[in-house]
Amino acid sequence: MSGPVDTPASSQGKPARRPRVFSGTQPTGALHLGNYLGAFRGYVAMQETHDCVYCVVDLHAITVRQPRAVLRRNTMDVANMFLACGVDPERSIVMVQSHVPQHSELAWILNTIAYMGELRRMTQFKDKTGGGEGESVGVGLFDYPVLMAADILLYGSDAVPVGEDQKQHVELTRDLAERFNNAFGKTFVVPEPVIPVDAARIMGLDDPTKKMSKSAGSEYNYIALTDPPDVIRRKIRRAVTDSGTEVRPGPDKPALTNLLTIYSALTREPVETIAERYVGKGYAEFKSDLGDVVVEALAPLQARVRELEADETYTLGVLKRGAELAESIAARTLAKVHERLGLVPRPR
Ligand code: TRP
């Protein structure tokens, strides 16, 4: 049987394994236009050239306390959003991290080769905990990058599409993989971080100097992928603009550059072509048109999300199959790791 994992034999009779991609998304809140244009759209494109594993990383999410019902909802939301954006479960593995126990198991083993010093140096840890010196900084937050390394290494991933903020974690993953390989013999593929295909870096609507973010103070920072049309239009109307009146990009126009980038990413027209059409017109007209563009672009995705939400059985079926496929790969990797370490195999 052919599938995303065991690729059919090529004409030479050798298994034609395509390079593997792994990426994880935390189920911690509204997915927004920045996630879509910066990541999800690239995940979909990478299915053409790679065997992909797209994972809802719920065990990462619980490094910050989550109300039970919220975690459950957010986990299903991310899975639905993968599917609604065009991740094809016939070609890619769509899974939830906690369904495959090998993630936690390999994280433990990697803990035994990771150094306190290298984890303490992680920028995200420092940002989240103010250096982690306090007595009540969670161990999970400290160890977060090791679990992420386990995610990636379990699947022999070659490429990890991540934004700038996660690159350091992939570098650590490389270091851990190489350290293990050197100490115990070649076991892990050493992965590369890749910038997601046609990724657009979308900034906050209320502050175009920082990335669009669900954890920003105001909901006027982001457009949630599930925002209804009137909310989308209102958020764009209220987006900050730059001084002057011209609709054009430029270093002196961070807000307009961002809005034009959104327009361009969704219509695939060059920013300059769009700007030319607005010569002599004002911000209001541009924003109104941009509202239409965003509403129209998200409509099919939102329709699909509503379908998936109306009947969870489809998504749950995808996750069941995803966990099975994932576990079959992960178990093989973990068995090899045990063998390398000298752990006695469980008698059968
Ligand atoms: N840390 C990533 C983030 O916050 C999520 C993540 C977990 C991830 N495991 C991963 C990303 C493995 C890529 C690969 O965005």
Side-chain angles (χ1 to χ4, degrees):
M1 198 189 81
S2 78
V5 182
D6 296 305
T7 10
S10 74
S11 48
Q12 285 86 24
K14 285 202 209 111
R17 184 186 183 280
R18 301 197 297 174
R20 180 160 292 141
V21 153
F22 183 99
S23 198
T25 302
Q26 287 201 63
T28 46
L31 291 165
H32 54 68
L33 201 56
N35 299 121
Y36 177 60
L37 295 174
F40 281 37
R41 221 166 58 161
Y43 296 170
V44 174
M46 291 191 97
Q47 299 180 109
E48 303 302 327
T49 47
H50 291 70
D51 286 344
C52 303
V53 182
Y54 295 126
C55 185
V56 190
V57 288
D58 54 351
L59 298 175
H60 279 105
I62 61 169
T63 56
V64 174
R65 190 77 57 90
Q66 306 288 329
R68 188 199 333 254
V70 174
L71 180 61
R72 189 190 188 285
R73 183 67 262 149
N74 285 340
T75 300
M76 293 304 290
D77 284 351
V78 175
N80 286 340
M81 203 51 83
F82 280 147
L83 299 173
C85 288
V87 170
D88 173 6
E90 297 295 319
R91 286 193 288 171
S92 302
I93 294 177
V94 179
M95 59 167 300
V96 173
Q97 188 183 31
S98 64
H99 294 174
V100 178
Q102 287 82 3
H103 289 251
S104 306
E105 296 175 22
L106 182 58
W108 173 258
I109 289 170
L110 294 175
N111 275 335
T112 65
I113 64 160
Y115 303 137
M116 299 287 286
E118 64 191 346
L119 295 183
R120 219 182 270 125
R121 278 195 296 278
M122 292 291 120
T123 313
Q124 192 172 62
F125 175 69
K126 288 194 279 187
D127 290 350
K128 278 198 180 168
T129 64
E133 293 311 318
E135 283 296 315
S136 44
V137 168
V139 174
L141 279 177
F142 184 65
D143 204 33
Y144 178 113
V146 176
L147 179 59
M148 179 162 162
D151 297 342
I152 295 165
L153 298 179
L154 271 179
Y155 300 96
S157 313
D158 301 282
V160 184
V162 281
E164 214 36 64
D165 63 320
Q166 294 296 317
K167 243 178 145 168
Q168 197 187 27
H169 290 160
V170 182
E171 294 300 335
L172 175 82
T173 303
R174 292 171 56 85
D175 291 345
L176 293 176
E178 277 166 357
R179 193 174 306 153
F180 190 98
N181 288 348
N182 288 334
F184 301 103
K186 172 99 184 70
T187 308
F188 294 122
V189 175
V190 180
E192 299 279 350
V194 296
I195 300 298
V197 196
D198 80 325
R201 203 173 135 79
I202 306 302
M203 314 306 279
L205 296 180
D206 62 351
D207 177 4
T209 65
K210 295 202 189 82
K211 249 174 62 164
M212 183 175 279
S213 165
K214 60 198 165 192
S215 43
S218 156
E219 53 176 60
Y220 285 94
N221 175 278
Y222 60 86
I223 294 173
L225 293 175
T226 50
D227 276 344
D230 58 316
V231 174
I232 293 174
R233 292 203 174 86
R234 183 165 65 242
K235 286 182 174 178
I236 292 175
R237 233 177 4 250
R238 290 226 199 150
V240 298
T241 48
D242 310 296
S243 55
T245 56
E246 290 159 81
V247 178
R248 61 164 173 82
D252 57 328
K253 292 264 198 182
L256 266 292
T257 303
N258 187 41
L259 297 177
L260 282 160
T261 302
I262 294 173
Y263 194 122
S264 162
L266 291 173
T267 61
R268 302 199 179 272
E269 274 180 296
V271 162
E272 293 71 29
T273 315
I274 303 162
E276 269 165 36
R277 278 207 302 277
Y278 289 93
V279 172
K281 301 176 182 172
Y283 290 161
E285 185 170 346
F286 170 65
K287 281 178 156 182
S288 157
D289 292 350
L290 177 60
D292 293 342
V293 165
V294 176
V295 167
E296 214 176 292
L298 295 186
L301 198 151
Q302 297 188 340
R304 183 81 182 114
V305 166
R306 277 194 296 272
E307 267 173 43
L308 292 166
E309 281 174 349
D311 180 9
E312 276 197 340
T313 46
Y314 177 78
T315 303
L316 291 172
V318 166
L319 296 178
K320 176 170 189 279
R321 171 108 181 104
E324 287 162 2
L325 289 169
E327 186 160 17
S328 71
I329 306 171
R332 251 181 285 152
T333 306
L334 200 68
K336 191 150 106 187
V337 169
H338 281 205
E339 190 266 317
R340 293 283 199 266
L341 287 167
L343 300 172
V344 173
R346 175 174 162 184
R348 312 226 158 244

